[in-house]
Amino acid sequence: MNRMSQISVLIKQTAYQAGFELAGIAPVRDFSELNHFPDWIDAGHAGEMKYLEARDAAGQLKRASLRSIAPWARSVIVCAINYNTPHPYSTRINDPERGWISRYAWSREDYHEAVMRRLRVVENRLRDMVGARGQDALVTAGETPALQTRCYVDTGPLVERVYAKYAGVGWIGKNTCILNQKLGSWLFLGVILTSLELDPDLPAPDRCGTCTRCIDACPTDALIASYQLDSNKCIAYLTIEKRDAIPEEMRAGMGRHVFGCDICQDVCPWNRKAPTTAADEFEAREGLVNPALNWLAEISAEEFREKFRGSPIRRAKRTGLRRNAAIAMGNSGDPHLIPVLEKLAADDDPVVAEAARWGLEQLSTPSPPMSESSVRNS
């Protein structure tokens, strides 16, 4: 076994010791999946997420080719950690007075920090191994011997799931999430770019087969085809990234989701027996599993700061969370929430007030009984 092979093995062992369940190595290539990214952007499927449109000096989309932002990178170390907790899936909950926060956002610590802390352990170990083995281990034709690394947790200008596939961590499902045969899809990804040309793993085979449960279950038809997502229709995008008012035609499909959405993962057969996390920091904070809608709608600025300190929920901002709660109330069919909506309709925040007025209209308009599928997805 040569030195690069030894380092490749040891670095994955270090990842497991740091708390990751999965680790693999992908080469830096212009993979076929990345060729679709410019078309996806051009079609407007990124919505208002302008950061996805970042370009290099030549005008090329950064996320379409890792070479454009890290020409020195030769390998990508991909690590994954399970965040699933033993709480019911959203598709099994039907309490009209309570909303749904996506499973990943329940955690006691922001996942960016929890994953990055573990990535740094792996990165430091890599540097130690290279130093112990001598810089000659890095010398290959045409390359300088200086080791370069860079860590990202859902923040870098690259499409992590593509590299996760080619690192053998999992395949990209029809819902566009990474799926692992043993762990399902409740995974946080972290990546380390390195100038080392490590031994790559084999890409994970696609095991979705003919299943279309995720596509069929999406209440807003955001999965416009297998492996294709239109963010403008995605509940996660609408409740987290969308600023100002949410288009009225999308509101009914949002059900009682107030931050993110798990439906396309909840219905996935590979998640039926998904194990739960061993990481304490991913256990749910008190009050975030099926939170009371009236609490979220009337949350003060101070309580919002305190309750969601170090939480990804802060990304929606207080305005967005209250707006989402008002829409969820309108979708609840519960007249007991009318007094709260009436109060919100006079709120100083125009976005919240408009959503509340919409909610009042829904609750004052008789609607037909919900079908079994509507109840399941609300």
Side-chain angles (χ1 to χ4, degrees), residues 31-42 61 64 227-228:
F31 298 116
S32 60
E33 290 86 351
L34 297 175
N35 295 334
H36 301 300
F37 186 72
D39 293 336
W40 186 77
I41 291 292
D42 290 343
L61 288 165
Y227 315 105
Q228 295 183 45

Side-chain angles (χ1 to χ4, degrees), residues 5 28 48 98 154-155 165 175 188 220 258 310 325 350 364:
S5 297
V28 174
E48 297 175 5
R98 294 185 174 273
D154 200 25
T155 54
K165 170 186 173 178
N175 60 5
F188 289 136
T220 54
V258 294
S364 62

Side-chain angles (χ1 to χ4, degrees), residues 30-314:
D30 290 333
F31 298 116
S32 60
E33 290 86 351
L34 297 175
N35 295 334
H36 301 300
F37 186 72
D39 293 336
W40 186 77
I41 291 292
D42 290 343
H45 290 159
E48 297 175 5
M49 297 182 287
K50 297 302 181 184
Y51 62 90
L52 295 177
E53 301 177 22
R55 298 176 184 270
D56 61 19
Q60 301 299 310
L61 288 165
K62 290 183 177 181
R63 284 173 170 76
S65 176
L66 188 52
R67 300 177 194 274
S68 69
I69 57 110
W72 48 266
R74 297 293 178 269
S75 304
V76 180
I77 302 166
V78 183
C79 303
I81 187 168
N82 174 20
Y83 66 84
N84 188 32
T85 54
H87 295 282
Y89 287 174
S90 66
T91 49
R92 297 181 179 274
I93 302 296
N94 189 33
D95 185 335
E97 295 187 357
R98 294 185 174 273
W100 185 261
I101 291 175
S102 187
R103 188 169 295 263
Y104 85 88
W106 297 344
S107 59
R108 298 172 183 172
E109 180 182 9
D110 191 322
Y111 73 92
H112 296 91
E113 298 177 7
V115 177
M116 181 61 78
R117 184 171 60 251
R118 292 172 169 84
L119 272 188
R120 293 299 186 195
V121 172
V122 180
E123 181 188 35
N124 291 336
R125 177 60 175 145
L126 176 61
R127 291 187 171 279
D128 290 343
M129 286 189 287
V130 169
R133 294 177 182 279
Q135 289 289 357
D136 62 312
L138 305 181
V139 179
T140 56
E143 294 181 348
T144 59
L147 172 64
Q148 291 182 265
T149 60
R150 194 176 296 167
C151 297
Y152 292 116
V153 179
D154 200 25
T155 54
L158 74 163
V159 185
E160 290 95 338
R161 63 180 179 273
V162 172
Y163 290 93
K165 170 186 173 178
Y166 286 95
V169 167
W171 72 93
I172 301 173
K174 292 179 181 178
N175 60 5
T176 74
C177 297
I178 278 290
L179 282 159
N180 179 270
Q181 188 175 2
K182 295 181 179 180
L183 299 182
S185 66
W186 309 111
L187 300 170
F188 289 136
L189 299 177
V191 301
I192 303 174
L193 313 186
T194 175
S195 55
L196 290 177
E197 194 149 355
L198 301 172
D199 288 355
D201 288 282
L202 294 174
D206 189 324
R207 299 182 184 276
C208 284
T210 60
C211 179
T212 58
R213 285 178 175 84
C214 56
I215 298 173
D216 300 337
C218 180
T220 54
D221 297 320
L223 294 166
I224 54 179
S226 297
Y227 315 105
Q228 295 183 45
L229 173 73
D230 183 351
S231 297
N232 298 287
K233 298 180 178 181
C234 179
I235 295 173
Y237 166 79
L238 293 170
T239 57
I240 301 172
E241 302 290 344
K242 183 76 174 74
R243 301 298 176 232
D244 301 321
I246 291 174
E248 286 197 24
E249 67 271 19
M250 303 306 304
R251 297 181 184 184
M254 289 168 55
R256 294 189 303 281
H257 292 80
V258 294
F259 186 92
C261 179
D262 295 328
I263 290 174
C264 66
Q265 296 186 82
D266 288 343
V267 301
C268 179
W270 292 103
N271 281 330
R272 286 175 181 165
K273 298 181 180 180
T276 55
T277 184
D280 291 340
E281 58 265 52
F282 297 146
E283 293 296 331
R285 297 190 190 196
E286 184 180 357
L288 296 195
V289 182
N290 310 320
L293 289 172
N294 58 352
W295 167 59
L296 294 176
E298 298 184 291
I299 193 169
S300 67
E302 181 180 359
E303 186 178 8
F304 179 85
R305 285 193 298 269
E306 289 299 318
K307 183 63 178 181
F308 301 118
R309 189 183 304 278
S311 166
I313 294 175
R314 290 177 63 90

